[in-house]
Amino acid sequence: MSRHIRRRSPLQVRLLTAGAGVVAAVAAVATVAVASADEPGGQDAQQARTGADHAVFVQGNELDGNTIHVFERGQDGALSASGDFATGGKGGDQVDAPTDSLASQGSLVYDKKSGLLLAVNAGSGTVTSFQVDGQELTHRKVVDSGGDFPASITVYGKLAYVMNAGGEGSIQGFRITAEGLKPLRDSHRSLGLDNAKVPLFSSSPGQVAFTPGGRTLAVTTKSANTIEVFAIGRDGRPAHQAVVNDSAGGVPFAITFDKSGRMLVAEAEKSTVTTYKVRADASLKVVQEPLANGQDTLCWLERAGDFFYGGNTGNSTVTGYRTDRQGRLALTNDVGIATPPSAKSQGVIDLAVTQDERFLYVQNAVSGTVDGFRVGRNGSLAKVTTVTGLPAFAESGMEGIVAV
């Protein structure tokens, strides 16, 4: 089947010409100390789950039928294929997407409290919930996402919100029940964007995320260069209008939070991270100006204890960050590369950290692989596994990963 001719945006051109950056990154890695295999301190061994219960879930995002690829995780972090489970919906591919078909963070989410795994079906405009039983996914339920091209999900308590990236963009609320997701009446809010039903990757929203405590809900908008924050009422419904905050860095993408509840936003334009305080009125205060990592096109960001890890898709590297007692962010090493790139690690996109914060898993869209790393005491990463044969980016590709 023929496809439309893709027009290349300035951001895509930067990505497609970043090959030289990979060579530079590999050279720079020579200055990075060999990663320590030491585990981070402060872990309670009594809280560790059995190996049989450990799993990593990868969303294939296949256009002809979205699939969750399940891997059993050993005590050493190694992965072994366990099974594939159809979501009952179709994957999607944003216009001009260079490596990441969904161009978002949080497209696959695990809610520990309910035991549900939630997946977007961007090509179908639906969301699937599964009950997780070890490495088995059961009780599949599929619901309408409330908009076009769902690309991100966030959960707090018994609430889930889906970000729809297509058209004007929107958020839609759901109740988490024993029967899966149930739409929350009068919770749909527009983001006021101007996209087609299948959005341009550089102008679609990047992520929806509850702030700690669940009092507000934040959405990043790439081309508008804003972070829109909705106050959430006691009934779980958002304010009718968001507080629109200008992003301190260009092209805000991924959202995560430190232990004190400060918001960290990854910005793709110059591969920076800005730290904000979320005020009670849903406005944001910059508490640390954009911190550059020296890499190319930082889009994804996840926390592991006092450390954070970012995926730089432009030159296929992972950057490590640490926070001090005052919450100030710094790179874990001078060159901004926490682990050397490899031929099997091309097109770094989404990241996932295990609940015990001992392991980090990285999706590589171009090579169709997932790398697993042990997180060291100093934030260094030691590779423990690579799995191959996952849907590599071509007409579309995998996106979304969860580790439990």
Side-chain angles (χ1 to χ4, degrees):
M1 179 182 295
S2 63
R3 301 191 71 213
H4 58 271
I5 297 175
R6 296 184 170 197
R7 48 198 172 82
R8 294 178 179 175
S9 68
L11 181 55
Q12 186 188 25
V13 171
R14 291 202 323 107
L15 287 168
L16 294 176
T17 58
V22 177
V23 176
V26 174
V29 168
T31 65
V32 181
V34 176
S36 167
D38 290 343
E39 298 177 15
Q43 300 297 335
D44 186 348
Q46 297 302 316
Q47 293 180 352
R49 300 168 64 192
T50 63
D53 290 333
H54 291 160
V56 170
F57 304 98
V58 176
Q59 181 164 247
N61 187 47
E62 297 92 340
L63 296 183
D64 58 353
N66 190 15
T67 304
I68 307 303
H69 304 268
V70 183
F71 297 87
E72 183 175 355
R73 175 170 64 88
Q75 294 289 351
D76 60 355
L79 301 181
S80 56
S82 180
D84 298 330
F85 298 85
T87 66
K90 295 181 179 181
D93 182 34
Q94 294 195 7
V95 177
D96 282 356
T99 56
D100 50 325
S101 291
L102 301 182
S104 66
Q105 180 164 286
S107 60
L108 186 67
V109 171
Y110 175 66
D111 176 37
K112 183 178 180 181
K113 185 175 181 180
S114 66
L116 291 181
L117 184 72
L118 307 176
V120 300
N121 302 305
S124 301
T126 59
V127 178
T128 298
S129 63
F130 291 101
Q131 191 71 44
V132 177
D133 182 10
Q135 288 84 47
E136 294 293 317
L137 301 181
T138 62
H139 297 85
R140 185 182 77 186
K141 304 289 183 182
V142 183
V143 297
D144 190 283
S145 71
D148 297 318
F149 209 95
S152 181
I153 307 171
T154 187
V155 171
Y156 181 81
K158 294 184 178 181
L159 289 174
Y161 268 83
V162 174
M163 180 193 78
N164 294 294
E168 64 183 13
S170 64
I171 56 170
Q172 171 66 50
F174 296 85
R175 296 285 185 190
I176 299 174
T177 75
E179 298 301 317
L181 299 182
K182 301 294 182 183
L184 178 62
R185 184 178 56 83
D186 191 30
S187 64
H188 184 276
R189 300 290 184 268
S190 171
L191 297 176
L193 303 177
D194 184 19
N195 268 310
K197 287 188 174 183
V198 178
L200 180 68
F201 92 103
S202 58
S203 60
S204 65
Q207 185 177 3
V208 61
F210 273 110
T211 57
R215 300 289 298 275
T216 51
L217 190 71
V219 180
T220 54
T221 64
K222 303 187 195 99
S223 59
N225 223 54
T226 61
I227 304 166
E228 303 194 6
V229 183
F230 293 86
I232 300 295
R234 293 181 181 273
D235 60 1
R237 294 173 174 82
H240 287 282
Q241 296 292 329
V243 174
V244 179
N245 301 273
D246 291 333
S247 176
V251 191
F253 195 111
I255 301 170
T256 191
F257 299 90
D258 67 14
K259 289 181 175 179
S260 298
R262 289 177 286 255
M263 177 191 292
L264 281 71
V265 177
E267 299 137 352
E269 184 179 48
K270 296 182 179 179
S271 296
T272 52
V273 176
T274 300
T275 305
Y276 298 91
K277 177 182 179 181
V278 184
R279 295 186 175 112
D281 64 358
S283 65
L284 300 179
K285 176 185 178 182
V286 175
V287 295
Q288 185 174 348
E289 294 291 335
L291 171 66
N293 66 14
Q295 301 302 302
D296 196 339
T297 321
L298 171 70
C299 293
W300 295 267
L301 189 67
E302 292 285 357
R303 182 172 72 87
D306 291 325
F307 301 106
F308 296 83
Y309 297 95
N312 307 295
T313 193
N315 61 341
S316 301
T317 59
V318 176
T319 295
Y321 306 84
R322 67 166 67 89
T323 53
D324 60 21
R325 292 182 180 180
Q326 287 72 45
R328 189 159 184 84
L329 195 67
L331 301 176
T332 54
N333 58 61
D334 292 340
V335 297
I337 302 175
T339 179
S342 73
K344 290 186 177 181
S345 308
Q346 295 303 298
V348 167
I349 53 168
D350 222 340
L351 315 168
V353 174
T354 56
Q355 293 178 4
D356 60 11
E357 300 175 340
R358 296 173 60 214
F359 298 100
L360 170 74
Y361 293 90
V362 179
Q363 278 185 312
N364 306 302
V366 174
S367 51
T369 60
V370 168
D371 290 325
F373 302 90
R374 185 186 301 276
V375 179
R377 293 179 183 274
N378 61 353
S380 60
L381 298 176
K383 188 179 289 188
V384 295
T385 191
T386 297
V387 294
T388 61
L390 289 159
F393 182 82
E395 191 173 28
S396 68
M398 65 173 172
E399 188 161 350
I401 184 169
V402 164
V404 297

